[in-house]
Short mmCIF file of all heavy atoms in Angstrom, two decimals:
data_model
loop_
_atom_site.label_atom_id
_atom_site.label_comp_id
_atom_site.label_asym_id
_atom_site.label_seq_id
_atom_site.Cartn_x
_atom_site.Cartn_y
_atom_site.Cartn_z
N SER A 1229 -45.33 -13.96 -17.98
CA SER A 1229 -46.36 -13.69 -19.02
C SER A 1229 -47.08 -12.41 -18.79
O SER A 1229 -47.23 -11.61 -19.71
CB SER A 1229 -47.28 -14.82 -19.07
OG SER A 1229 -46.65 -16.00 -19.51
N ARG A 1230 -47.44 -12.18 -17.53
CA ARG A 1230 -48.20 -10.97 -17.07
C ARG A 1230 -47.31 -9.73 -17.50
O ARG A 1230 -47.73 -8.71 -18.05
CB ARG A 1230 -48.57 -10.97 -15.67
CG ARG A 1230 -49.69 -10.09 -15.25
CD ARG A 1230 -50.15 -10.35 -13.93
NE ARG A 1230 -49.88 -11.79 -13.58
CZ ARG A 1230 -49.74 -12.26 -12.33
NH1 ARG A 1230 -49.75 -11.45 -11.27
NH2 ARG A 1230 -49.52 -13.55 -12.08
N PHE A 1231 -46.03 -9.82 -17.14
CA PHE A 1231 -45.14 -8.61 -17.30
C PHE A 1231 -44.94 -8.49 -18.81
O PHE A 1231 -44.87 -7.34 -19.36
CB PHE A 1231 -43.77 -9.01 -16.66
CG PHE A 1231 -42.78 -7.79 -16.88
CD1 PHE A 1231 -42.87 -6.71 -16.16
CD2 PHE A 1231 -41.71 -8.04 -17.76
CE1 PHE A 1231 -42.06 -5.55 -16.35
CE2 PHE A 1231 -40.82 -7.02 -17.98
CZ PHE A 1231 -40.88 -5.74 -17.29
N LEU A 1232 -44.70 -9.56 -19.54
CA LEU A 1232 -44.56 -9.40 -20.98
C LEU A 1232 -45.74 -8.77 -21.72
O LEU A 1232 -45.57 -7.90 -22.54
CB LEU A 1232 -44.13 -10.61 -21.62
CG LEU A 1232 -42.75 -11.27 -21.29
CD1 LEU A 1232 -42.72 -12.70 -21.91
CD2 LEU A 1232 -41.76 -10.43 -21.85
N ARG A 1233 -46.86 -9.10 -21.25
CA ARG A 1233 -48.17 -8.44 -21.81
C ARG A 1233 -48.17 -6.98 -21.48
O ARG A 1233 -48.43 -6.13 -22.37
CB ARG A 1233 -49.41 -9.08 -21.17
CG ARG A 1233 -49.83 -10.30 -21.82
CD ARG A 1233 -51.12 -10.83 -21.40
NE ARG A 1233 -51.41 -10.92 -20.04
CZ ARG A 1233 -51.18 -12.06 -19.28
NH1 ARG A 1233 -50.67 -13.09 -19.84
NH2 ARG A 1233 -51.33 -12.03 -18.07
N LEU A 1234 -47.71 -6.59 -20.29
CA LEU A 1234 -47.61 -5.18 -19.91
C LEU A 1234 -46.62 -4.40 -20.71
O LEU A 1234 -46.79 -3.38 -21.30
CB LEU A 1234 -47.38 -4.99 -18.49
CG LEU A 1234 -48.54 -5.30 -17.51
CD1 LEU A 1234 -48.02 -5.17 -16.07
CD2 LEU A 1234 -49.70 -4.42 -17.80
N ARG A 1235 -45.51 -5.07 -20.90
CA ARG A 1235 -44.39 -4.48 -21.70
C ARG A 1235 -44.84 -4.31 -23.17
O ARG A 1235 -44.68 -3.30 -23.78
CB ARG A 1235 -43.15 -5.40 -21.66
CG ARG A 1235 -41.98 -4.73 -22.44
CD ARG A 1235 -40.85 -5.66 -22.66
NE ARG A 1235 -41.35 -6.78 -23.59
CZ ARG A 1235 -40.55 -7.81 -23.83
NH1 ARG A 1235 -39.40 -7.94 -23.37
NH2 ARG A 1235 -41.09 -8.75 -24.64
N ASP A 1236 -45.50 -5.37 -23.75
CA ASP A 1236 -45.89 -5.21 -25.09
C ASP A 1236 -47.04 -4.14 -25.30
O ASP A 1236 -47.22 -3.79 -26.33
CB ASP A 1236 -46.35 -6.63 -25.57
CG ASP A 1236 -45.16 -7.58 -25.73
OD1 ASP A 1236 -43.96 -7.16 -25.60
OD2 ASP A 1236 -45.40 -8.86 -25.87
N GLN A 1237 -47.79 -3.94 -24.23
CA GLN A 1237 -48.92 -2.95 -24.23
C GLN A 1237 -48.29 -1.58 -24.64
O GLN A 1237 -49.01 -0.77 -25.30
CB GLN A 1237 -49.52 -2.86 -22.89
CG GLN A 1237 -50.50 -1.71 -22.73
CD GLN A 1237 -51.08 -1.66 -21.29
OE1 GLN A 1237 -50.78 -2.44 -20.44
NE2 GLN A 1237 -51.80 -0.71 -21.12
N MET A 1238 -47.06 -1.26 -24.13
CA MET A 1238 -46.48 0.04 -24.52
C MET A 1238 -45.88 0.06 -25.89
O MET A 1238 -45.39 1.10 -26.33
CB MET A 1238 -45.50 0.40 -23.37
CG MET A 1238 -44.16 -0.46 -23.41
SD MET A 1238 -43.08 0.10 -22.08
CE MET A 1238 -42.38 1.53 -22.89
N GLY A 1239 -45.85 -1.12 -26.52
CA GLY A 1239 -45.15 -1.18 -27.78
C GLY A 1239 -43.88 -1.85 -27.60
O GLY A 1239 -43.10 -1.42 -26.90
N ASP A 1240 -43.74 -2.93 -28.35
CA ASP A 1240 -42.46 -3.63 -28.30
C ASP A 1240 -41.38 -2.88 -28.84
O ASP A 1240 -41.40 -2.35 -29.94
CB ASP A 1240 -42.63 -4.92 -29.03
CG ASP A 1240 -41.46 -5.92 -28.88
OD1 ASP A 1240 -40.34 -5.58 -29.32
OD2 ASP A 1240 -41.57 -6.90 -28.17
N PRO A 1241 -40.26 -2.74 -27.94
CA PRO A 1241 -39.12 -1.84 -28.41
C PRO A 1241 -38.32 -2.38 -29.72
O PRO A 1241 -37.84 -1.54 -30.36
CB PRO A 1241 -38.21 -1.91 -27.21
CG PRO A 1241 -38.53 -2.89 -26.32
CD PRO A 1241 -40.05 -3.23 -26.62
N LEU A 1242 -38.47 -3.60 -29.93
CA LEU A 1242 -37.91 -4.19 -31.09
C LEU A 1242 -38.72 -4.14 -32.40
O LEU A 1242 -38.29 -4.15 -33.48
CB LEU A 1242 -37.34 -5.55 -30.77
CG LEU A 1242 -36.11 -5.65 -29.91
CD1 LEU A 1242 -36.00 -7.03 -29.34
CD2 LEU A 1242 -34.94 -5.02 -30.47
N LEU A 1243 -40.06 -4.36 -32.27
CA LEU A 1243 -40.95 -4.54 -33.31
C LEU A 1243 -41.82 -3.29 -33.62
O LEU A 1243 -42.01 -2.83 -34.69
CB LEU A 1243 -41.89 -5.74 -33.11
CG LEU A 1243 -41.21 -7.04 -33.11
CD1 LEU A 1243 -42.30 -8.07 -32.79
CD2 LEU A 1243 -40.66 -7.38 -34.48
N ASP A 1244 -42.35 -2.66 -32.55
CA ASP A 1244 -43.29 -1.63 -32.70
C ASP A 1244 -43.08 -0.62 -31.62
O ASP A 1244 -43.98 -0.46 -30.68
CB ASP A 1244 -44.72 -2.19 -32.69
CG ASP A 1244 -45.77 -1.27 -32.65
OD1 ASP A 1244 -45.67 -0.09 -33.30
OD2 ASP A 1244 -46.89 -1.42 -32.13
N PRO A 1245 -41.97 0.11 -31.62
CA PRO A 1245 -41.86 1.13 -30.51
C PRO A 1245 -42.79 2.15 -30.62
O PRO A 1245 -43.01 2.80 -31.59
CB PRO A 1245 -40.38 1.59 -30.70
CG PRO A 1245 -40.10 1.32 -32.12
CD PRO A 1245 -40.92 0.13 -32.55
N SER A 1246 -43.46 2.49 -29.53
CA SER A 1246 -44.56 3.46 -29.47
C SER A 1246 -44.09 4.70 -28.70
O SER A 1246 -43.32 4.44 -27.68
CB SER A 1246 -45.85 2.94 -28.90
OG SER A 1246 -46.83 3.87 -28.63
N ARG A 1247 -44.59 5.78 -29.06
CA ARG A 1247 -44.25 6.98 -28.27
C ARG A 1247 -45.52 7.66 -27.88
O ARG A 1247 -45.53 8.80 -27.50
CB ARG A 1247 -43.30 7.89 -29.15
CG ARG A 1247 -42.08 7.41 -29.59
CD ARG A 1247 -41.12 7.11 -28.49
NE ARG A 1247 -39.83 6.60 -28.90
CZ ARG A 1247 -39.52 5.31 -28.84
NH1 ARG A 1247 -40.23 4.38 -28.41
NH2 ARG A 1247 -38.25 5.08 -29.25
N ASP A 1248 -46.61 6.90 -28.04
CA ASP A 1248 -47.96 7.45 -27.71
C ASP A 1248 -48.03 7.78 -26.29
O ASP A 1248 -47.96 6.77 -25.41
CB ASP A 1248 -49.03 6.48 -28.17
CG ASP A 1248 -50.39 7.04 -27.83
OD1 ASP A 1248 -50.70 8.14 -28.14
OD2 ASP A 1248 -51.26 6.13 -27.24
N PRO A 1249 -48.24 9.08 -25.81
CA PRO A 1249 -48.32 9.22 -24.39
C PRO A 1249 -49.42 8.53 -23.61
O PRO A 1249 -49.25 8.05 -22.49
CB PRO A 1249 -48.58 10.85 -24.33
CG PRO A 1249 -48.16 11.28 -25.63
CD PRO A 1249 -48.31 10.21 -26.61
N GLU A 1250 -50.56 8.33 -24.20
CA GLU A 1250 -51.64 7.60 -23.62
C GLU A 1250 -51.29 6.18 -23.33
O GLU A 1250 -51.54 5.65 -22.27
CB GLU A 1250 -52.88 7.71 -24.46
CG GLU A 1250 -54.11 7.15 -23.66
CD GLU A 1250 -54.41 7.65 -22.27
OE1 GLU A 1250 -54.18 8.96 -22.12
OE2 GLU A 1250 -54.75 6.88 -21.36
N ARG A 1251 -50.63 5.52 -24.25
CA ARG A 1251 -50.18 4.13 -23.99
C ARG A 1251 -49.14 4.09 -22.89
O ARG A 1251 -49.13 3.09 -22.12
CB ARG A 1251 -49.50 3.54 -25.34
CG ARG A 1251 -50.57 3.15 -26.32
CD ARG A 1251 -49.97 2.74 -27.62
NE ARG A 1251 -49.50 1.33 -27.54
CZ ARG A 1251 -48.98 0.76 -28.57
NH1 ARG A 1251 -48.96 1.30 -29.79
NH2 ARG A 1251 -48.68 -0.55 -28.55
N MET A 1252 -48.30 5.05 -22.90
CA MET A 1252 -47.26 5.15 -21.69
C MET A 1252 -48.01 5.30 -20.42
O MET A 1252 -47.66 4.61 -19.49
CB MET A 1252 -46.24 6.26 -21.93
CG MET A 1252 -45.42 6.16 -23.23
SD MET A 1252 -44.49 4.59 -23.24
CE MET A 1252 -45.26 3.97 -24.73
N ARG A 1253 -48.94 6.26 -20.33
CA ARG A 1253 -49.75 6.40 -19.02
C ARG A 1253 -50.42 5.23 -18.59
O ARG A 1253 -50.40 4.77 -17.51
CB ARG A 1253 -50.59 7.71 -19.22
CG ARG A 1253 -49.79 8.88 -19.11
CD ARG A 1253 -50.89 10.09 -18.98
NE ARG A 1253 -51.49 10.47 -20.29
CZ ARG A 1253 -50.95 11.23 -21.24
NH1 ARG A 1253 -49.77 11.74 -21.12
NH2 ARG A 1253 -51.69 11.46 -22.29
N GLN A 1254 -51.04 4.50 -19.61
CA GLN A 1254 -51.81 3.30 -19.21
C GLN A 1254 -50.77 2.19 -18.72
O GLN A 1254 -51.12 1.52 -17.81
CB GLN A 1254 -52.62 2.75 -20.51
CG GLN A 1254 -53.49 1.59 -20.19
CD GLN A 1254 -54.53 1.86 -19.14
OE1 GLN A 1254 -55.30 2.86 -19.23
NE2 GLN A 1254 -54.59 1.12 -18.04
N THR A 1255 -49.70 2.06 -19.42
CA THR A 1255 -48.74 1.06 -19.08
C THR A 1255 -48.25 1.39 -17.59
O THR A 1255 -48.12 0.38 -16.81
CB THR A 1255 -47.49 1.01 -19.98
OG1 THR A 1255 -48.15 0.75 -21.29
CG2 THR A 1255 -46.48 0.05 -19.62
N LEU A 1256 -47.97 2.68 -17.36
CA LEU A 1256 -47.54 3.08 -15.94
C LEU A 1256 -48.66 2.57 -14.96
O LEU A 1256 -48.24 2.17 -13.89
CB LEU A 1256 -47.25 4.60 -15.90
CG LEU A 1256 -45.87 5.06 -16.26
CD1 LEU A 1256 -45.80 6.58 -16.35
CD2 LEU A 1256 -44.84 4.51 -15.18
N ALA A 1257 -49.77 2.95 -15.24
CA ALA A 1257 -50.84 2.58 -14.26
C ALA A 1257 -50.89 1.10 -14.06
O ALA A 1257 -51.06 0.67 -12.93
CB ALA A 1257 -52.17 3.14 -14.85
N ASN A 1258 -50.80 0.33 -15.15
CA ASN A 1258 -50.78 -1.10 -14.96
C ASN A 1258 -49.63 -1.72 -14.25
O ASN A 1258 -49.75 -2.63 -13.44
CB ASN A 1258 -50.98 -1.75 -16.44
CG ASN A 1258 -52.34 -1.55 -16.94
OD1 ASN A 1258 -53.31 -1.32 -16.33
ND2 ASN A 1258 -52.42 -1.65 -18.24
N LEU A 1259 -48.46 -1.05 -14.50
CA LEU A 1259 -47.26 -1.44 -13.80
C LEU A 1259 -47.34 -1.23 -12.29
O LEU A 1259 -46.91 -1.92 -11.46
CB LEU A 1259 -45.99 -0.79 -14.32
CG LEU A 1259 -45.54 -1.38 -15.63
CD1 LEU A 1259 -44.60 -0.38 -16.33
CD2 LEU A 1259 -45.08 -2.76 -15.62
N SER A 1260 -47.92 -0.03 -11.87
CA SER A 1260 -48.06 0.38 -10.51
C SER A 1260 -49.14 -0.63 -9.87
O SER A 1260 -48.85 -1.00 -8.71
CB SER A 1260 -48.64 1.75 -10.41
OG SER A 1260 -47.70 2.70 -10.79
N ALA A 1261 -50.13 -0.97 -10.58
CA ALA A 1261 -51.12 -1.98 -9.97
C ALA A 1261 -50.53 -3.33 -9.84
O ALA A 1261 -50.65 -4.00 -8.85
CB ALA A 1261 -52.34 -2.09 -10.95
N LEU A 1262 -49.55 -3.72 -10.77
CA LEU A 1262 -48.84 -4.91 -10.63
C LEU A 1262 -47.93 -4.92 -9.39
O LEU A 1262 -47.82 -5.90 -8.57
CB LEU A 1262 -48.04 -5.24 -11.86
CG LEU A 1262 -47.19 -6.44 -11.89
CD1 LEU A 1262 -48.08 -7.74 -11.87
CD2 LEU A 1262 -46.26 -6.53 -13.16
N GLU A 1263 -47.23 -3.84 -9.20
CA GLU A 1263 -46.35 -3.69 -8.08
C GLU A 1263 -47.22 -3.69 -6.75
O GLU A 1263 -46.80 -4.42 -5.72
CB GLU A 1263 -45.68 -2.36 -8.04
CG GLU A 1263 -44.32 -2.40 -8.86
CD GLU A 1263 -43.52 -1.19 -8.77
OE1 GLU A 1263 -44.19 -0.02 -8.84
OE2 GLU A 1263 -42.31 -1.26 -8.59
N LYS A 1264 -48.35 -3.06 -6.78
CA LYS A 1264 -49.18 -3.08 -5.49
C LYS A 1264 -49.67 -4.52 -5.17
O LYS A 1264 -49.87 -4.81 -4.04
CB LYS A 1264 -50.36 -2.11 -5.69
CG LYS A 1264 -49.91 -0.71 -5.47
CD LYS A 1264 -51.14 0.33 -5.69
CE LYS A 1264 -50.68 1.74 -5.60
NZ LYS A 1264 -51.74 2.64 -5.85
N ALA A 1265 -49.94 -5.30 -6.20
CA ALA A 1265 -50.52 -6.61 -6.01
C ALA A 1265 -49.24 -7.58 -5.56
O ALA A 1265 -49.52 -8.51 -4.92
CB ALA A 1265 -51.02 -7.27 -7.34
N GLY A 1266 -47.97 -7.07 -5.84
CA GLY A 1266 -46.90 -7.84 -5.36
C GLY A 1266 -46.18 -8.54 -6.48
O GLY A 1266 -46.89 -9.22 -7.28
N VAL A 1267 -44.94 -8.36 -6.57
CA VAL A 1267 -44.04 -9.01 -7.59
C VAL A 1267 -42.91 -9.66 -6.88
O VAL A 1267 -42.41 -9.19 -5.79
CB VAL A 1267 -43.63 -8.07 -8.69
CG1 VAL A 1267 -44.66 -7.53 -9.51
CG2 VAL A 1267 -42.71 -6.96 -8.16
N ASP A 1268 -42.42 -10.80 -7.37
CA ASP A 1268 -41.31 -11.46 -6.86
C ASP A 1268 -40.05 -10.52 -6.97
O ASP A 1268 -39.98 -9.79 -7.85
CB ASP A 1268 -41.17 -12.90 -7.59
CG ASP A 1268 -42.12 -13.86 -7.09
OD1 ASP A 1268 -42.79 -13.62 -6.07
OD2 ASP A 1268 -42.31 -14.80 -7.80
N THR A 1269 -39.06 -10.86 -6.24
CA THR A 1269 -37.78 -10.28 -6.19
C THR A 1269 -37.18 -10.11 -7.46
O THR A 1269 -36.59 -9.07 -7.88
CB THR A 1269 -36.89 -10.83 -5.17
OG1 THR A 1269 -37.61 -11.00 -3.93
CG2 THR A 1269 -35.60 -9.94 -5.03
N TRP A 1270 -37.24 -11.25 -8.22
CA TRP A 1270 -36.55 -11.24 -9.57
C TRP A 1270 -37.14 -10.18 -10.57
O TRP A 1270 -36.58 -9.72 -11.40
CB TRP A 1270 -36.57 -12.60 -10.19
CG TRP A 1270 -37.90 -13.02 -10.67
CD1 TRP A 1270 -38.82 -13.78 -9.92
CD2 TRP A 1270 -38.51 -12.89 -11.97
NE1 TRP A 1270 -39.96 -14.03 -10.69
CE2 TRP A 1270 -39.75 -13.42 -11.97
CE3 TRP A 1270 -38.08 -12.27 -13.10
CZ2 TRP A 1270 -40.61 -13.44 -13.08
CZ3 TRP A 1270 -38.84 -12.11 -14.24
CH2 TRP A 1270 -40.13 -12.74 -14.20
N LEU A 1271 -38.54 -10.02 -10.45
CA LEU A 1271 -39.18 -9.17 -11.29
C LEU A 1271 -39.22 -7.69 -10.95
O LEU A 1271 -39.41 -6.79 -11.95
CB LEU A 1271 -40.68 -9.65 -11.54
CG LEU A 1271 -41.56 -8.98 -12.59
CD1 LEU A 1271 -40.89 -9.00 -13.93
CD2 LEU A 1271 -42.88 -9.61 -12.53
N ALA A 1272 -39.11 -7.36 -9.69
CA ALA A 1272 -39.15 -6.03 -9.25
C ALA A 1272 -38.31 -5.01 -9.97
O ALA A 1272 -38.73 -3.97 -10.40
CB ALA A 1272 -38.86 -5.93 -7.68
N PRO A 1273 -36.98 -5.39 -10.20
CA PRO A 1273 -36.16 -4.39 -10.99
C PRO A 1273 -36.60 -4.21 -12.37
O PRO A 1273 -36.45 -3.10 -12.97
CB PRO A 1273 -34.73 -4.97 -10.95
CG PRO A 1273 -34.81 -6.31 -10.38
CD PRO A 1273 -36.17 -6.49 -9.83
N HIS A 1274 -37.09 -5.20 -13.03
CA HIS A 1274 -37.74 -5.12 -14.44
C HIS A 1274 -38.91 -4.13 -14.49
O HIS A 1274 -39.04 -3.35 -15.34
CB HIS A 1274 -38.02 -6.42 -14.88
CG HIS A 1274 -37.01 -7.40 -15.09
ND1 HIS A 1274 -36.10 -7.40 -16.18
CD2 HIS A 1274 -36.47 -8.43 -14.24
CE1 HIS A 1274 -35.22 -8.40 -16.04
NE2 HIS A 1274 -35.38 -8.99 -14.86
N VAL A 1275 -39.73 -4.22 -13.44
CA VAL A 1275 -40.88 -3.27 -13.31
C VAL A 1275 -40.44 -1.95 -13.19
O VAL A 1275 -40.91 -0.96 -13.94
CB VAL A 1275 -41.83 -3.81 -12.14
CG1 VAL A 1275 -43.04 -2.75 -12.04
CG2 VAL A 1275 -42.40 -5.12 -12.54
N ALA A 1276 -39.46 -1.69 -12.29
CA ALA A 1276 -38.97 -0.32 -12.04
C ALA A 1276 -38.35 0.21 -13.30
O ALA A 1276 -38.48 1.37 -13.72
CB ALA A 1276 -37.92 -0.32 -10.81
#
Side-chain angles (χ1 to χ4, degrees):
S1229 294
R1230 202 169 331 151
F1231 179 76
L1232 290 173
R1233 278 192 306 273
L1234 289 177
R1235 184 195 64 186
D1236 292 348
Q1237 170 188 357
M1238 68 179 280
D1240 187 288
L1242 290 166
L1243 293 174
D1244 176 30
S1246 174
R1247 302 295 183 254
D1248 178 51
E1250 187 53 40
R1251 284 175 82 174
M1252 295 307 116
R1253 283 190 285 277
Q1254 185 62 52
T1255 301
L1256 270 172
N1258 290 336
L1259 289 167
S1260 293
L1262 179 65
E1263 274 186 317
K1264 285 180 185 177
V1267 294
D1268 286 344
T1269 307
W1270 72 268
L1271 186 56
H1274 295 276
V1275 172

